[in-house]
Amino acid sequence: IMTRGIWNNNQPVMDRVQGWIRRISMGLRDLKYFCKVAETQHISKAAKELGVAQPYLTRVIHQLEDELGCELLDHVGRSIQLNDFGRILQQHALAALRELDAAVSELGARMDDPGRDIELITGSSAYCSDIPLRYSEAFPGSNIDRRYMGRKDMIRALENEEADFCICSPPVSEEESSQIISRVVHVE
C-alpha cells in the first residue's frame, strides 16, 4: 500500500506513467545520494560518506519520494531497506549514472587527446602553409585535414560542426554568425 502516490485506478496505465515522468525533476545529485543510501541501507552512514548532514539527506530522499509519488524505503526499527520501488529506482539510477560517467569520461578523453584529427578550412593555402606540419610534429599520430572554400561556406561548415577551425581574413563578425567565436591570431 502506497501512502504517497499518483496512482488512480480509473486512469489508464500510460496516463499514470506519463504523469509520473512529468513529476520527475530530480537531479543527478539526488540520484547519487539515493544510490548511496541504497548501498549502505543507513541514512547516517550514507550522509557521513557523502559529506552531508543527515537531516539534509533525509530531506532529499523524502523530496525524491514525493516527486516519484511512492516510498522507496521501508523503515525496520532503526534501519532501512529498499522496497520494490526502491530496488527498481536503484537499478535504473545506477545504470543511468554509469552511462553518464562513461559519457563524461569519453568526452574528457576526446577533449584531452591532443592527437585527434582536426578539420581545418581556409580560403587560401597561404594562410596555413606550415600549420599541418607543425601540428603533426607536436602531436605524432595526429592529422590536420585541410579544405579550401569560400567565406560563406566556411561559416556554414563551422555552424554545422563540419569543421573544427577556419582561418580567414577578416575575422567572422557577430553579424555574420553569433555561433562562431573569432580570434585574431596574426596581424601583419
Side-chain angles (χ1 to χ4, degrees), residues 158-174:
L158 281 172
E159 290 175 336
N160 294 333
E161 298 181 18
E162 297 166 2
D164 296 300
F165 300 98
C166 288
I167 298 177
C168 63
S169 181
V172 176
S173 68
E174 180 78 25

Side-chain angles (χ1 to χ4, degrees), residues 7-82:
W7 306 110
N8 176 343
N9 290 332
N10 298 326
Q11 190 180 19
V13 173
M14 282 310 297
D15 288 347
R16 287 185 282 173
V17 171
Q18 288 173 349
W20 186 40
I21 291 169
R22 278 192 300 272
R23 291 173 191 245
I24 299 174
S25 63
M26 72 195 83
L28 293 176
R29 184 208 57 195
D30 295 351
L31 288 177
K32 288 178 183 179
Y33 286 4
F34 168 76
C35 288
K36 181 55 77 175
V37 169
E39 175 190 322
T40 62
Q41 297 209 4
H42 199 276
I43 297 275
S44 296
K45 185 176 181 182
K48 186 175 182 178
E49 289 182 24
L50 292 166
V52 298
Q54 181 270 328
Y56 173 75
L57 183 56
T58 299
R59 191 168 49 252
V60 167
I61 298 300
H62 285 301
Q63 288 172 346
L64 187 57
E65 289 175 328
D66 287 342
E67 288 180 34
L68 292 170
C70 61
E71 291 185 359
L72 303 167
L73 306 168
D74 290 333
H75 298 271
V76 181
R78 296 185 63 111
S79 64
I80 56 171
Q81 294 177 341
L82 289 177

